[in-house]
Amino acid sequence: MNRHSAILLVIFSVSFVSAQNLPESFYGKFSLDHSDNFDEYLTEKGYGWFTRRLVTLSNVDKIITKAGPNSFNFEDLWATKKLHYKDVVLGREFRGKGLDGSIHRVAPMKNSDIQITFTLRNNVLFEKHVPTDANAEQKQDEYRYHLEGGNIVQTLTANGVVARRYFTRQ
C-alpha cells in the first residue's frame, strides 16, 4: 500500500468512526416507571438524606430526539430541574449543567481528563459526568442506558452497588 492510500484509509476510518450516531430505537420520550436499589446507590455515592429523598421521589422524563445527521438532543426533565443537552455528537466534548447546577464538561471516554460523555458501545449508550467544580454536590458518575422491549433501562453502579431505573416509552 502506498503512502497516499494509507493516508486516505486513515481519513476514511476517522470519518466513519466520528459519524456514528445513536440508533433510531433510542429516540422518543421515556417516563420513569420504577427503580431498583436506587436509594442504596445514592447512599453509596455519599449523598445526604435530603438529597436522596428529593431525587428518589422526583418524576423524571428523558426525551431523546434526532438533531442532525450525526447528532441528537438529550433532555433529562426532573420536577425540580430540567437539563437540556443540544446537538450531542457521540464522543465529542461539550459542557453542560449537572443536576446540582454545577457546570460539567462532556468528553470522549478515551481522554484521561473527561467530565460528561455520551458514547455508544454494543448498542448501549453511556453518559459520563465529572463535575468541573471540586465543591459540586453531584459526584463523578457514569450512566448506562440500554433498551428492553422498547423501553429504556438506566443502570448505575457505585462500589459494587447496582441500581436500575426503568423508563417506559410514551
Side-chain angles (χ1 to χ4, degrees), residues 69-88:
N70 297 312
S71 63
F72 61 94
N73 298 324
F74 187 93
E75 297 179 76
D76 199 1
L77 308 176
W78 295 67
T80 57
K81 190 77 174 173
K82 313 268 187 256
L83 301 177
H84 304 277
Y85 302 138
K86 301 292 185 188
D87 298 312
V88 175

Side-chain angles (χ1 to χ4, degrees), residues 93-160:
E93 182 175 319
F94 69 92
R95 288 187 178 267
K97 287 193 180 232
L99 286 174
D100 64 347
S102 66
I103 299 296
H104 297 203
R105 195 175 82 209
V106 184
M109 295 188 61
K110 65 184 179 184
N111 186 340
S112 62
D113 195 23
I114 59 179
Q115 314 256 297
I116 300 180
T117 302
F118 285 92
T119 56
L120 185 69
R121 296 189 307 265
N122 300 321
N123 214 32
V124 176
L125 179 65
F126 292 86
E127 176 188 2
K128 184 166 184 167
H129 287 240
V130 178
T132 57
D133 179 358
N135 298 319
E137 184 177 6
Q138 187 169 343
K139 314 290 189 250
Q140 178 173 329
D141 228 330
E142 182 174 69
Y143 314 125
R144 172 189 161 139
Y145 302 94
H146 72 276
L147 294 167
E148 280 185 13
N151 298 316
I152 286 184
V153 178
Q154 179 184 26
T155 303
L156 310 101
T157 305
N159 301 320

Side-chain angles (χ1 to χ4, degrees), residues 8 20 24 35 43 50 63 77 109 123 152 154-155 164:
L8 286 175
Q20 181 185 27
E24 294 287 328
S35 301
T43 299
F50 182 75
I63 302 173
L77 308 176
M109 295 188 61
N123 214 32
I152 286 184
Q154 179 184 26
T155 303
R164 287 188 177 79

Side-chain angles (χ1 to χ4, degrees), residues 1-20:
M1 180 183 305
N2 68 34
R3 186 158 50 131
H4 292 332
S5 296
I7 291 171
L8 286 175
L9 180 61
V10 168
I11 290 171
F12 176 75
S13 298
V14 168
S15 296
F16 180 74
V17 169
S18 66
Q20 181 185 27

